């Protein structure tokens, strides 16, 4: 093979690694070469064909003379491509594809042909055409890099993605086309693929506008290319846009995050703040949430759209930067929007407003120069406004701004914002309803728990009521301080199951019932028994509306303290025992016999009687004080802290109350209502009490009047002598006439004067309207007219009729 023939063979790279046959003929058409894969392709040996005419082997599809003429005209180094039909040695016809070169020689031109089976070449052509079609028609971006990481092939789709003409990109590296750290990272990944052979898929976001728009997401998969022999040819990359897929995913993530993070509390302002936390920075650079005035306080909003004259209060703001366009309106500020603003339009129509750009659409800013200046200074270029609507009621408006992110808001952003705001609006409305009910329950509770701080001779009191701070609402804890006859005082605390207005109303009913029962002066166990019956009857289905268990299971502790005897009688219905702190600071829990909770019935209540030294502090409380702010506190540890904190006998009761709250509910947000009632005991000594035993003799009435006058003179209360003598005369006369021995007269001097006459009979006196001809029946009527109050109390030994007046 001469040099020209070798050059021709070298120019057959287009055939790749396929089996090649070599054939040559002289100017006469006689075969002079039969080599390479030619014997394998057609089955002839070289010695069978050398020197024989080509026409014996090849049936030309065109005239041989025409082929010869084409070869003569072919320039030096050129070649022609032909398809030949040939006869295989076994007799069948076969097609070969050949490239023929004319080669200069003595006496004319020789021919050199390099050929392969036609099926192989067609398959090669088909493969190449397929690859060309793939690159030209594929909707995804395709690129091929050589081992030096330079572009050697780019399809039209990729050219549209990066916007650089193919002529500028080919032969250059990524970092030369796109300087920057992202391009360097991308090139490094391609280098790793080239070196390791491991395919890599990585997503990339274009933060600048492309031919497809702003912020497009691309998934780039790179893999190494090798020939059949394993030689590394380069790296291929496929670029697929995944913007819509990622936006759908991000939208789902955003909505899921909103469902988890918005509405975690029933606080209106906190719910608005949670909306801003979800939206920034994923959706906007800045967001402001404005609610109609009164929404945060639980007030109702007018159904339907809101007019442009509405007054709003800023509930929450959040920004990626301190210098926000609306930051001058801090939370709590009152805000109004001109009717031309998108905020007013959104509230008036109930529809969201999208302003992708402010160019040509910002005329409304002329109505608010302050806001316009801030927006211009910050560089705001895109705005969207979404009204907060729930249950056909407009609650406010949320407005979103972008100035740091260069891409404008799009329809997808508005759709995502609408869904997030809709979720927040429902949560805000729930919080508003809860706030409204909580305020109503608190108002009712405070009115029901109002205790007139009248001066009491028996005790000095202080109390604290802390409503529950949790989402369940205000509970049914209650207490009362009830003045009783004989200078005694009744102290009571209770807890009704449940939360909300119903529990508060039930607590009010029980408190009213206790006050009414206490006026009959029953023993504490008897009062609880009657209260238990009231609860059982009121919980009957025919007596309730919607809650057949109202009041059942409630607890109550009732204590009656007598400053004359210094005895305290207590009865409990499933309640925690009180704490007694002695004057020396020693504290203890009183061992009170505990009966069943109210409404369960079946078991009697028992009384416990203790003697309290003067100056002792008695502490009554509810379980909310012990369960703490989490609702899961250690009760035993809380009881110990309570006893330690109360051990301040010389301190002011108000200070002791505050100290107890600081120790047990420092943030004043207990999980359940907490009540603390403190009472420091006083004693009425012999200098303030006078007692006489009287015989069952009508003649003793005058003696009783004389004893009374003498005692009033000793107390410097002579101005009450006439009234007192009359009352004593009537009470002693009634005891002698209708009662039994023994009879006892007692005067007690407190801020008022108390007269008591006791006898051994349990007959109850009744006041009646006497007629003009009646000779009796006017005594109790006169006592009722002259005394501030009067009544009868019973004891195991009889009854006591008493009257109390101040003489004013």
């Amino acid at each position: 093979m001469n040099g020209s023939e070798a050059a021709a063979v070298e120019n057959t790279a287009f055939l790749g690694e396929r089996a090649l046959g070599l054939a040559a003929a002289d100017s006469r058409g006689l075969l002079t070469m039969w080599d390479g894969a030619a014997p394998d392709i057609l089955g002839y040996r070289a010695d069978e064909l050398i020197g024989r005419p080509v026409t014996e082997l090849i049936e030309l599809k065109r005239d041989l003379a025409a082929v010869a003429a084409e070869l003569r005209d072919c320039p030096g180094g050129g070649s022609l491509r032909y398809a030949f039909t040939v006869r295989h040695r076994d007799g069948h016809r076969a097609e070969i594809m050949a490239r023929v070169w004319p080669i200069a020689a003595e006496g004319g031109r020789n021919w050199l042909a390099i050929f392969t089976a036609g099926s192989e070449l067609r398959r090669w052509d088909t493969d190449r055409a397929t690859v060309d079609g793939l690159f030209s028609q594929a909707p995804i971006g395709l690129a091929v890099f050589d081992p030096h990481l330079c572009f050697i092939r780019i399809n039209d789709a990729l050219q549209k993605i990066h916007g650089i003409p193919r002529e500028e990109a080919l032969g250059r590296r990524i970092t030369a086309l796109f300087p920057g750290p992202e391009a360097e990272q991308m090139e490094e990944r391609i280098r790793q693929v080239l070196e390791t052979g491991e395919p890599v898929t990585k997503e990339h976001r274009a933060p600048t506008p492309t031919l497809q728009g702003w912020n497009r997401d691309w998934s780039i998969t790179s893999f190494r290319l090798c020939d059949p022999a394993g030689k590394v040819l380069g790296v291929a990359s496929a670029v697929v846009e995944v913007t819509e897929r990622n936006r759908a995913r991000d939208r789902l993530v955003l909505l899921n995050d909103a469902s988890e993070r918005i509405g975690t509390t029933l606080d209106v302002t906190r719910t608005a703040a949670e909306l801003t936390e979800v939206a920034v920075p994923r959706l906007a650079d800045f967001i402001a949430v404005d609610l109609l005035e009164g929404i945060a306080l639980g007030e109702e909003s007018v159904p339907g759209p809101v007019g442009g004259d509405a007054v709003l209060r800023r509930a929450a703001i959040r920004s990626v930067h301190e210098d926000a366009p609306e930051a001058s309106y801090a939370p709590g500020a009152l805000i109004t929007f001109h009717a031309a603003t998108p905020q007013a339009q959104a509230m008036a129509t109930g529809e969201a407003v999208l302003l992708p750009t402010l160019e040509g659409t910002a005329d409304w800013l002329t109505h608010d120069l302050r806001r316009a200046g801030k927006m211009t200074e910050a560089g705001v270029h895109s705005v969207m406004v979404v009204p907060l609507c729930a249950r056909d009621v407009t609650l406010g408006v949320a407005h979103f701004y972008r100035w740091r992110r260069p891409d404008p808001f799009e329809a997808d952003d508005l759709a995502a914002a609408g869904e997030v705001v809709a979720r927040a609006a429902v949560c805000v409305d729930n919080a508003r309803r809860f706030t409204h009910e909580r305020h109503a329950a608190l108002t009712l509770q405070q009115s029901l728990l109002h205790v007139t701080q009248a001066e009491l001779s028996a005790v000095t009191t202080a109390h604290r009521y802390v409503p529950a701070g949790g989402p369940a609402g205000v509970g049914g804890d209650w207490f009362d301080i009830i003045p009783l006859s004989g200078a005694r005082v009744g102290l009571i605390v209770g807890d009704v199951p449940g939360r909300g207005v119903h529990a508060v109303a039930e607590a009010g009913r029980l408190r009213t019932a206790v006050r009414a029962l206490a006026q009959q002066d029953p023993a504490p166990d008897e009062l609880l028994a009657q209260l238990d019956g009231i609860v059982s009857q009121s919980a009957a289905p025919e007596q309730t509306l919607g809650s057949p268990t109202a009041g059942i299971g409630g607890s109550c502790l009732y204590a009656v303290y007598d400053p004359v005897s210094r005895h305290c009688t207590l009865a409990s219905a499933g309640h925690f025992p009180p704490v007694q702190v002695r004057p020396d600071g020693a504290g203890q829990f009183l061992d009170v016999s505990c009966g069943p909770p109210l409404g369960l019935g079946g078991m009697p209540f028992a009384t416990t009687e203790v003697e309290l030294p003067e100056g002792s502090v008695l502490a009554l409380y509810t379980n909310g004080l012990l369960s703490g702010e989490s609702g899961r506190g250690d009760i035993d540890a809380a009881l110990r802290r309570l006893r330690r904190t109360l051990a301040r006998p010389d301190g002011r009761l108000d200070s002791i109350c505050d100290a107890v709250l600081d120790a047990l509910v420092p943030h004043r947000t207990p999980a359940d209502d907490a009540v603390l009632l403190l009472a420091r005991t006083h004693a009425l000594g012999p200098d303030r009490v006078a007692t006489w035993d009287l015989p069952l003799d009508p003649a003793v009435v005058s003696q009783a009047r004389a004893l009374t006058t003498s005692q009033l003179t000793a107390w410097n209360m002579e101005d009450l002598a006439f009234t007192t003598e009359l009352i004593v005369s009537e009470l002693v006369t009634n005891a002698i006439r209708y009662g039994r021995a023994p009879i006892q007269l007692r005067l007690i001097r407190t801020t008022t004067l108390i007269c008591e006459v006791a006898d051994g009979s349990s007959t109850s006196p009744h006041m009646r309207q006497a007629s003009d001809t009646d000779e009796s029946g006017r005594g109790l009527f006169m006592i009722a007219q002259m005394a501030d109050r009067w009544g009868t109390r019973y004891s195991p030994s009889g009854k006591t009729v008493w009257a109390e007046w101040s003489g004013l």
Side-chain angles (χ1 to χ4, degrees):
M1 185 182 298
N2 58 32
S4 298
E5 294 171 340
V9 172
E10 186 175 347
N11 286 332
T12 60
F14 75 96
L15 296 174
E17 299 293 328
R18 292 165 177 78
L20 302 178
L22 299 178
D26 59 17
S27 58
R28 296 172 297 173
L30 301 179
L31 287 170
T32 60
M33 178 189 295
W34 189 255
D35 203 350
D40 297 327
I41 294 174
L42 296 180
Y44 296 99
R45 298 190 308 274
D47 59 354
E48 295 179 310
L49 294 180
I50 296 298
R52 296 176 63 180
V54 175
T55 55
E56 295 182 5
L57 178 66
I58 302 175
E59 297 179 1
L60 294 179
K61 293 183 177 179
R62 291 182 294 173
D63 184 71
L64 183 60
V67 173
E70 290 178 357
L71 291 174
R72 282 195 302 271
D73 297 336
C74 183
S79 63
L80 296 175
R81 183 175 175 180
Y82 293 101
F84 297 99
T85 300
V86 299
R87 291 185 295 273
H88 196 273
R89 192 173 187 278
D90 60 11
H92 77 273
R93 291 185 176 186
E95 186 179 75
I96 64 172
M97 300 296 294
R99 189 171 290 277
V100 182
W101 284 265
I103 300 174
E106 294 180 3
R109 284 190 172 187
N110 295 342
W111 303 345
L112 173 65
I114 298 176
F115 63 92
T116 186
S119 60
E120 285 288 323
L121 193 58
R122 280 197 302 272
R123 184 164 61 249
W124 183 88
D125 287 341
T126 301
D127 291 346
R128 178 164 186 153
T130 300
V131 172
D132 290 342
L134 173 66
F135 265 78
S136 63
Q137 302 174 29
I140 65 174
L142 297 174
V144 178
F145 301 88
D146 65 13
H148 301 291
L149 306 184
C150 295
F151 286 103
I152 59 175
R153 190 159 188 179
I154 296 173
N155 72 339
D156 293 340
L158 184 60
Q159 181 178 335
K160 292 179 180 179
I161 290 173
H162 59 55
I164 297 178
R166 182 183 290 105
E167 296 75 12
E168 296 183 20
L170 293 178
R172 302 178 68 183
R173 298 171 65 163
I174 295 177
T175 51
L177 296 174
F178 307 100
E182 291 188 2
E184 294 175 359
Q185 295 173 5
M186 189 179 302
E187 187 172 280
E188 182 59 31
R189 286 194 295 270
I190 295 175
R191 186 188 306 280
Q192 292 177 2
V193 171
L194 185 68
E195 294 174 353
T196 65
E198 294 292 331
V200 172
T201 299
K202 185 73 174 179
E203 288 195 7
H204 169 71
R205 167 165 289 186
T208 56
T210 66
L211 296 178
Q212 285 75 27
W214 286 87
N215 279 355
R216 314 305 291 181
D217 294 340
W218 311 95
S219 176
I220 304 175
T221 300
S222 301
F223 54 93
R224 190 167 67 182
L225 297 176
C226 297
D227 63 10
K231 179 182 178 181
V232 176
L233 302 177
V235 174
S237 294
V239 183
V240 180
E241 183 176 358
V242 293
T243 304
E244 297 305 322
R245 184 198 71 185
N246 286 357
R247 285 188 176 182
R249 179 198 62 198
D250 294 344
R251 183 173 176 178
L252 289 176
V253 171
L254 179 66
L255 295 178
N256 181 69
D257 199 16
S259 66
E260 292 179 354
R261 296 176 58 187
I262 299 177
T264 60
T265 69
L266 286 173
D267 181 85
V268 173
T269 303
R270 179 58 195 152
T271 302
E274 289 169 346
L275 167 59
T276 66
E277 293 168 2
V278 169
V280 175
R282 286 188 292 183
L283 198 57
D285 295 328
F286 176 81
I287 178 177
V289 179
D290 302 324
L291 301 177
L292 292 174
E293 175 71 354
I295 293 295
L297 301 178
E299 297 179 7
E300 294 278 356
S301 178
V302 178
V306 176
D309 57 347
V311 178
L312 298 94
R313 188 177 294 274
R314 176 133 302 171
I317 59 173
R318 191 171 183 85
S319 173
V320 296
H321 193 273
E322 293 181 358
D323 189 19
E326 292 274 338
S328 56
Y329 298 94
L334 292 177
I335 299 175
T336 57
F337 293 103
H338 190 274
T341 63
Q343 290 88 347
Q345 295 175 9
M347 290 190 294
T349 62
E351 299 291 336
V353 178
L354 174 63
L355 299 177
T357 178
L358 298 186
E359 296 181 3
T361 63
D363 295 342
W364 51 274
L365 288 176
T366 59
H367 300 287
D368 191 341
L369 297 180
R370 178 185 179 187
R371 183 176 283 109
K374 295 291 291 185
M375 292 178 64
T376 303
E377 181 181 350
V380 173
H381 60 84
S382 189
V383 176
M384 61 181 179
V385 182
V386 183
L388 275 82
C389 300
R391 303 177 179 94
D392 297 326
V393 173
T394 300
L395 305 172
V397 65
H399 30 126
F400 304 77
Y401 301 84
R402 280 184 183 173
W403 73 89
R404 297 190 67 178
R405 290 173 58 171
D407 54 315
F409 287 119
E410 301 177 353
D412 286 344
D413 297 318
L414 186 64
E419 295 192 42
V420 172
V421 171
R423 160 75 183 179
V426 172
C427 295
V428 167
D429 192 50
N430 290 339
R432 180 199 61 77
R433 290 169 175 246
F434 169 79
T435 302
H436 178 76
E437 182 173 339
R438 177 180 173 83
H439 285 173
L442 277 175
T443 302
L444 178 60
Q445 185 79 293
Q446 290 168 358
S447 65
L448 293 176
L449 294 182
H450 177 71
V451 177
T452 302
Q453 293 289 351
E455 184 178 355
L456 299 174
S457 301
V459 292
T460 301
T461 62
H463 54 82
R464 293 291 185 273
Y465 167 73
V466 184
V474 178
D477 289 19
W478 56 281
F479 70 97
D480 204 353
I481 303 168
I482 307 172
L484 301 176
S485 64
R488 297 170 307 138
V489 64
L491 306 172
I492 189 165
V493 294
D495 185 5
V496 172
R499 299 291 183 88
V501 175
H502 294 293
V504 174
E506 182 64 22
R509 289 201 317 129
L510 293 184
R511 185 172 182 266
T512 302
V514 167
R515 273 209 166 244
L517 293 173
Q519 298 308 313
Q520 306 302 317
D521 270 326
D525 58 332
E526 295 178 5
L527 183 141
L528 292 188
Q530 296 181 57
L531 191 62
D532 179 76
I534 292 174
V535 171
S536 299
Q537 293 177 8
S538 63
E542 63 273 11
Q543 298 292 332
T544 60
L545 292 175
S547 179
T549 60
I552 291 182
S555 64
C556 182
L557 175 66
Y558 183 47
V560 175
Y561 174 67
D562 187 347
V564 177
S565 64
R566 293 185 289 107
H567 285 187
C568 183
T569 307
L570 307 99
S572 172
H575 205 82
F576 284 95
V579 180
Q580 177 202 354
V581 181
R582 299 176 62 85
D584 59 3
Q588 64 174 347
F589 291 98
L590 295 179
D591 186 12
V592 178
S593 179
C594 187
L598 297 174
L600 300 183
M603 293 291 292
F605 297 96
T607 59
T608 301
E609 187 169 331
V610 296
E611 183 176 344
L612 301 179
E614 183 178 7
S616 298
V617 174
L618 194 65
L620 286 70
Y621 51 92
T622 59
N623 61 345
L625 190 66
L626 305 177
S627 57
E629 295 173 339
S630 66
R632 301 181 297 273
D634 187 335
I635 298 298
D636 292 335
L639 288 171
R640 290 192 293 270
R641 286 199 303 273
L642 174 62
R643 184 174 60 184
R644 285 197 306 270
T645 309
L646 288 171
R648 300 170 55 187
D650 296 332
R652 294 177 57 252
L653 292 184
D654 283 325
S655 299
I656 297 176
C657 284
D658 293 336
V660 170
L661 295 184
D662 291 340
L664 298 176
V665 282
H667 298 101
R668 305 300 193 267
T669 56
D672 192 5
D673 287 21
V675 167
L676 175 63
L677 174 59
L678 300 183
R680 174 170 286 131
T681 64
H682 305 306
L684 297 179
D687 60 324
R688 305 182 67 178
V689 179
T691 305
W692 301 278
D693 293 325
L694 303 177
L696 192 63
D697 183 359
V700 80
V701 176
S702 59
Q703 181 184 352
R705 288 198 297 267
L707 293 173
T708 298
T709 302
S710 175
Q711 188 62 55
L712 292 178
T713 302
W715 286 344
N716 295 321
M717 301 177 71
E718 295 91 344
D719 52 337
L720 297 180
F722 175 78
T723 302
T724 305
E725 287 181 7
L726 181 58
I727 291 175
V728 167
S729 178
E730 289 296 331
L731 292 180
V732 172
T733 299
N734 285 343
I736 294 174
R737 178 177 297 180
Y738 304 109
R740 293 198 303 262
I743 298 176
Q744 186 181 77
L745 170 64
R746 184 169 72 165
L747 295 179
I748 303 174
R749 178 174 63 89
T750 61
T751 56
T752 62
L753 183 62
I754 301 171
C755 175
E756 297 181 341
V757 176
D759 67 81
S761 171
S762 59
T763 303
S764 176
H766 295 283
M767 182 177 63
R768 66 185 179 87
Q769 183 71 43
S771 64
D772 295 340
T773 59
D774 289 342
E775 296 182 359
S776 62
R778 296 180 177 84
L780 291 179
F781 178 79
M782 290 189 298
I783 292 175
Q785 297 300 312
M786 291 184 290
D788 294 335
R789 60 191 190 116
W790 73 280
T792 305
R793 68 173 182 268
Y794 298 89
S795 66
S797 60
K799 69 176 184 298
T800 300
V801 181
W802 56 272
E804 179 179 351
W805 64 99
S806 62
L808 299 178

